[in-house]
């Protein structure tokens, strides 16, 4: 995970910055760099690999400056190269900055800045911030930073200096920690981590979300931005990118959403997941004996799959609750239990109330949340962001696959803290890495799925069946169809079919069977035969290469092969497209289904 440090004061910045970086190096890094300013020209030195490589480059140069920035980088956007290492600068070498976090809308910002003539030298998301500040800079650094951060979506801790406004260090924060250390007679040091300021500072100030600190030689002051309201407006204005509906756009951008959720979080050779947001609670998580997951709607379905993942690979007994039930019954929370809440919006009232109840009982709370800086983020002790940008369609799609991918990462993280072997960890990590490409393959079948939707759009009743990892996918497939097309469908666990729902089956009843080639495939084939034996119609979601299934069902949609634990991330995609096309054929408002809301902030 990246670490930032900045210094403005009477001493030489170089050793202070290097010591700060050394103290932040435990966060994990693969390159480093510093920029120093002595009032004339900024000097920037970067190195790949260990901090010693940076120190060796600095040796003998006798670099001095009263102002400077330093950074240890954990690669996310772009490989481990000097060009991608921080600090980053603008076109003129005026603005210099270091960043910890992820700028989610970096692509759009880069494209528009490039059109305006800005030249980029790295592949990073961070460099867009330097150019954005350049665009607004007219001699006053904090004013330019204020304007720039309003356009940024994502998480950031930034330390920034400008050659043309030289007696200042500006720092800004949203959802990434940032602390200002004050040394009475020496100067100011800002850092991601209080340990980095400890040798110099007697007092510290923790910057809050949406605050900008302006530090000069004598004092500092803090500007507060009302950023979240701006984000909402920006999200509503987001273009549909040529798609007829946000829902289709969001389904189609799932490979990119997955890439963003996974960026910088997998360590393939060690079979590990690196989750910066859990760093502060990592020791507590090592000790937990039980996990309780709470969520609502689609996020609850993600939680159900999380249970299968956690119990099989992390060995942690896991229970999943609908948040509204958790808050009103009397859940028994044993010692060493952690509460994991999953929410796209971070604002769902029931989920929030469940967290507050758990906190009151002294339980560690962790979130998987998409909306940066939302209420659930502020309430929980630690968390993992989805980093998938806004989801506008009321029906959750890309947030669901991202939640599943993060649950798989969390399983690796907790599993490798316990008994999950290196080899198994490596295998899962390698398969997680392939997910964006596999989802892209499924999306190529959109036209075929549309034909299947056309064929079945007039059915009035149906059910989705699945087992094990795909049992919750049956629930999610049915929910998607209900909310988008207003057709009635139930999600049924395969084993329960003959305990009731089978009575519904006749030639006018549709069954969608989620049956990848996994450990319960044969059981699913039995379920399909039970339906076919009563003249029901069956669509199968099966693994590519399974030709036999064609003989027993009416239609097949194929998904690529992956580890069993990851199959739900693939099998849900054709079901999202199926629901979407049925909804469009029926003339429904797929982006805003009747009676529903995207973010349910009341009970
Ligand atoms: C609403 C949305 C669903 C979502 C649920 C939970 O009902 O329409 O799509 O799954 O809330 O929302 P959250 O933001 O907590 O994930």
């Amino acid at each position: 995970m990246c670490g930032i440090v900045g210094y403005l004061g009477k001493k030489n910045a170089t050793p202070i910055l290097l010591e700060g970086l050394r103290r932040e190096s435990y966060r994990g890094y693969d390159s480093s760099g510093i920029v120093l300013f002595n009032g004339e020209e900024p000097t920037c030195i970067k190195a790949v690999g260990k901090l010693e490589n940076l120190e060796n480059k600095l040796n003998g140069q006798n670099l001095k400056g009263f102002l400077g920035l330093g950074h240890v980088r954990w690669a996310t956007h772009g490989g481990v190269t000097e060009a991608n290492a921080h600090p980053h600068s603008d076109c003129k070498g005026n603005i210099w900055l270091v960043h910890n976090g992820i700028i989610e809308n970096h692509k759009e910002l880069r494209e528009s800045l490039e059109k305006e003539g800005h030249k980029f030298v790295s592949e990073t998301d961070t460099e867009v911030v330097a150019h954005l500040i350049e665009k607004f800079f007219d001699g006053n650094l904090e004013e330019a930073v204020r304007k720039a951060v309003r356009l940024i979506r994502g998480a950031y801790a930034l330390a920034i200096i400008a050659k043309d406004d030289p007696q200042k260090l500006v720092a800004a924060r949203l959802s990434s920690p940032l602390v200002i250390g004050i040394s009475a007679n020496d100067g100011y040091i800002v850092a991601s981590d209080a340990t980095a300021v400890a040798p110099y500072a007697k007092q510290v100030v923790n910057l809050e979300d949406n605050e900008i600190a302006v530090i000069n030689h004598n004092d500092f002051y803090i500007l507060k931005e009302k950023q979240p309201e701006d984000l909402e407006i920006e999200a509503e204005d987001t273009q549909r990118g040529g798609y007829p509906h946000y829902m289709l756009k969001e389904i189609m951008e799932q490979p990119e959403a997955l890439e963003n959720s996974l960026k910088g979080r997998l360590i393939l050779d060690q079979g590990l997941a690196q989750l910066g947001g859990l760093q502060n609670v990592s020791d507590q998580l090592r000790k937990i004996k039980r996990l309780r997951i709470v969520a609502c709607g689609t996020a609850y379905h993600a939680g159900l799959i999380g249970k299968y993942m956690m119990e099989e690979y992390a060995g942690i007994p896991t229970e999943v609750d609908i948040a509204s039930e958790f808050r009103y019954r009397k859940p028994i929370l044993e010692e060493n239990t952690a509460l994991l809440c999953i929410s796209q919006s971070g604002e769902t009232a029931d989920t929030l109330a469940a967290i507050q109840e758990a906190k009151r009982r002294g339980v560690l709370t962790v979130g998987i949340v998409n909306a940066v800086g939302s209420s659930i983020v502020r309430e929980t002790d630690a968390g993992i962001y989805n980093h998938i940008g806004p989801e506008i369609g009321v029906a959750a799609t890309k947030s669901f696959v991202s939640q599943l991918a993060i649950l798989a990462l969390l399983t690796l993280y907790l599993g490798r803290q316990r008994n999950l072997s290196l080899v198994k960890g490596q295998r899962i990590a390698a398969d997680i890495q392939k997910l964006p490409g596999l989802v892209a393959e499924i999306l190529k079948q959109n036209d075929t799925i549309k034909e299947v939707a056309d064929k079945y759009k007039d059915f009035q009743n149906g059910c989705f069946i699945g087992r094990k990892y795909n049992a919750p996918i049956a629930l999610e497939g049915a929910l998607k169809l209900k909310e988008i097309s207003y057709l009635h469908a139930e999600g049924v666990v395969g084993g329960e079919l003959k305990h009731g729902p089978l009575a519904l089956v006749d030639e006018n009843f549709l069954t969608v069977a989620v049956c990848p080639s996994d450990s319960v495939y044969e059981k699913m084939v039995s379920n399909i035969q039970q339906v076919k034996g009563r003249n029901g119609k069956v669509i199968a979601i099966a693994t590519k290469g399974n030709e036999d299934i064609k003989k027993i069902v009416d239609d097949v949609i194929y998904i690529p092969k992956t580890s069993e634990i990851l199959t739900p991330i693939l099998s849900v995609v054709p079901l999202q497209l199926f629901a979407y096309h049925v909804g469009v054929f029926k003339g429904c408002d797929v982006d805003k289904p009747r009676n529903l809301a995207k973010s349910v902030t009341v009970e």
Side-chain angles (χ1 to χ4, degrees):
M1 288 296 105
C2 301
I4 72 170
V5 56
Y7 175 79
L8 170 81
K10 294 188 190 129
K11 290 193 172 172
N12 177 17
T14 315
I16 298 174
L17 295 174
L18 284 174
E19 178 60 20
L21 294 182
R22 246 189 308 277
R23 286 169 171 259
E24 287 183 340
S25 60
Y26 76 93
R27 299 160 73 94
Y29 71 100
D30 43 43
S31 56
S32 57
I34 63 170
V35 62
L36 287 159
F37 187 55
N38 57 11
E40 288 167 14
E41 275 305 313
T43 308
C44 179
I45 314 268
K46 304 177 184 187
V48 162
K50 297 250 170 275
L51 257 180
E52 290 87 81
N53 299 349
L54 180 69
E55 285 166 335
N56 289 340
K57 275 193 163 182
L58 287 165
N59 273 346
Q61 292 208 38
N62 195 24
L63 281 182
K64 291 207 166 88
F66 63 86
L67 180 59
L69 306 173
H71 192 264
V72 277
R73 174 175 187 250
W74 170 266
T76 55
H77 298 67
V80 182
T81 62
E82 277 189 21
N84 289 335
H86 301 212
H88 287 289
S89 185
D90 61 348
C91 300
K92 302 191 197 93
N94 173 35
I95 308 292
W96 291 86
L97 57 81
V98 287
H99 167 222
N100 175 30
I102 285 185
I103 307 300
E104 288 170 6
N105 58 339
H106 68 100
K107 242 178 152 178
E108 300 96 285
L109 289 173
R110 180 186 279 244
E111 275 164 22
S112 72
L113 286 162
E114 275 174 344
K115 275 192 203 133
E116 290 170 21
H118 289 259
K119 297 267 176 292
F120 283 76
V121 296
S122 79
E123 302 157 273
T124 61
D125 54 335
T126 301
E127 198 187 344
V128 298
V129 187
H131 289 274
L132 211 53
I133 296 172
E134 173 181 23
K135 176 181 156 124
F136 294 119
F137 185 82
D138 63 2
N140 181 316
L141 180 59
E142 68 268 28
E143 266 313 304
V145 171
R146 252 161 89 109
K147 290 177 183 158
V149 294
R150 282 189 196 141
L151 301 180
I152 295 171
R153 213 174 52 229
Y156 55 80
L158 289 161
I160 312 142
I161 61 173
K163 187 181 115 188
D164 297 336
D165 191 5
Q167 306 297 332
K168 255 178 218 165
L169 170 61
V170 173
R173 166 196 163 140
L174 181 63
S175 290
S176 283
L178 189 60
V179 41
I180 306 169
I182 306 158
S183 163
N185 41 26
D186 172 4
Y188 296 89
I189 175 167
V190 300
S192 314
D193 208 303
T195 54
V197 310
Y200 301 95
K202 296 273 173 284
Q203 290 178 302
V204 291
V205 170
N206 280 300
L207 215 57
E208 301 284 333
D209 279 349
N210 297 311
E211 286 183 344
I212 296 172
V214 185
I215 300 163
N216 54 49
H217 284 278
N218 302 318
D219 59 11
F220 73 94
Y221 58 94
I222 288 172
L223 307 168
K224 176 98 182 160
E225 286 289 298
K226 289 183 95 184
Q227 181 93 338
E229 286 168 27
D230 292 343
L231 280 175
E232 278 300 313
I233 295 159
E234 195 185 61
E236 283 300 326
D237 288 346
T238 307
Q239 293 300 304
R240 285 198 300 266
Y243 289 101
H245 299 102
Y246 282 113
M247 182 180 177
L248 186 60
K249 174 178 182 267
E250 286 157 7
I251 293 173
M252 289 300 178
E253 68 193 20
Q254 288 181 118
E256 200 188 329
L258 281 170
E259 255 168 39
N260 288 335
S261 298
L262 299 175
K263 226 165 233 164
R265 288 173 164 170
L266 275 171
I267 310 176
L268 293 175
D269 56 342
Q270 294 172 45
L272 280 176
Q274 168 105 353
L275 299 168
L278 301 187
Q279 216 149 10
N280 294 340
V281 295
S282 146
D283 288 340
Q284 277 164 282
L285 287 171
R286 197 183 297 278
K287 289 183 204 131
I288 63 158
K289 299 254 182 308
R290 279 179 189 279
L291 195 61
R292 304 295 290 261
I293 303 180
V294 290
C296 300
T298 290
Y300 168 70
H301 295 157
L304 290 174
I305 296 169
K307 172 181 166 78
Y308 287 85
M309 293 176 170
M310 288 297 166
E311 295 196 333
E312 184 166 3
Y313 287 96
I316 303 175
T318 303
E319 276 181 60
V320 193
D321 269 294
I322 291 173
S324 55
E325 287 300 298
F326 182 91
R327 67 183 285 198
Y328 287 122
R329 64 190 174 80
K330 202 175 165 212
I332 294 167
L333 300 172
E334 291 163 350
E335 217 183 317
N336 290 325
T337 295
L339 185 90
L340 172 66
C341 48
I342 307 173
S343 174
Q344 187 285 128
S345 64
E347 300 295 347
T348 303
D350 285 323
T351 312
L352 201 52
I355 297 164
Q356 285 156 350
E357 176 60 18
K359 276 180 78 174
R360 202 180 57 76
R361 313 254 300 264
V363 163
L364 175 72
T365 56
V366 176
I368 296 178
V369 178
N370 187 37
V372 173
S374 55
S375 304
I376 293 181
V377 170
R378 293 199 300 273
E379 278 293 326
T380 41
D381 297 309
I384 311 161
Y385 276 125
N386 294 86
H387 289 311
I388 58 170
E391 186 178 63
I392 311 286
V394 167
T397 52
K398 64 173 180 174
S399 62
F400 181 67
V401 297
S402 164
Q403 284 158 356
L404 293 181
I406 289 175
L407 282 163
L409 291 177
L410 186 60
T411 305
L412 260 190
Y413 183 95
L414 297 173
R416 296 283 286 123
Q417 279 187 337
R418 293 167 175 77
N419 285 332
L420 183 66
S421 70
L422 170 66
V423 174
K424 272 196 185 157
Q426 285 169 327
R427 208 187 57 219
I428 296 170
D431 282 348
I432 293 176
Q433 177 95 333
K434 290 184 199 138
L435 286 169
L438 299 184
V439 170
E441 261 185 58
I442 302 170
L443 294 173
K444 285 188 198 144
Q445 300 176 77
N446 184 30
D447 289 343
T448 316
I449 298 168
K450 188 174 175 182
E451 281 167 27
V452 178
D454 195 10
K455 187 167 159 188
Y456 294 99
K457 63 179 185 296
D458 295 322
F459 271 74
Q460 290 306 309
N461 280 302
C463 77
F464 288 67
I465 54 172
R467 286 172 182 256
K468 206 175 168 186
Y469 282 99
N470 286 289
I473 293 298
L475 306 186
E476 176 62 9
L479 175 65
K480 284 287 93 85
L481 191 66
K482 276 186 275 203
E483 56 185 348
I484 297 308
S485 73
Y486 316 147
L487 287 183
H488 180 249
E490 266 186 72
V492 177
V493 174
E496 282 292 294
L497 194 63
K498 34 182 195 311
H499 295 291
L502 201 55
L504 293 168
V505 177
D506 61 15
E507 65 283 4
N508 296 316
F509 191 83
L510 172 66
T511 299
V512 180
V514 189
C515 54
S517 304
D518 59 10
S519 62
V520 287
Y521 173 71
E522 295 304 331
K523 306 282 171 209
M524 284 301 299
V525 170
S526 308
N527 285 138
I528 292 169
Q529 274 155 350
Q530 288 155 13
V531 175
K532 288 310 297 173
R534 282 141 189 101
N535 301 320
K537 296 283 180 292
V538 178
I539 304 172
I541 310 299
T543 303
K544 206 159 91 187
N546 178 0
E547 293 297 319
D548 288 347
I549 192 90
K550 284 186 179 160
K551 296 177 200 147
I552 53 169
V553 300
D554 299 275
D555 288 279
V556 188
I557 302 166
Y558 285 111
I559 58 168
K561 188 158 184 46
T562 184
S563 307
E564 182 169 352
I565 174 180
L566 304 176
T567 51
I569 299 173
L570 304 185
S571 60
V572 75
V573 177
L575 304 186
Q576 296 167 338
L577 283 170
F578 179 74
Y580 169 77
H581 289 300
V582 174
V584 172
F585 281 132
K586 299 195 84 66
C588 301
D589 184 355
V590 293
D591 280 340
K592 291 197 172 90
R594 65 186 182 201
N595 312 333
L596 300 180
K598 180 72 187 156
S599 180
V600 183
T601 52
V602 290
E603 276 194 59

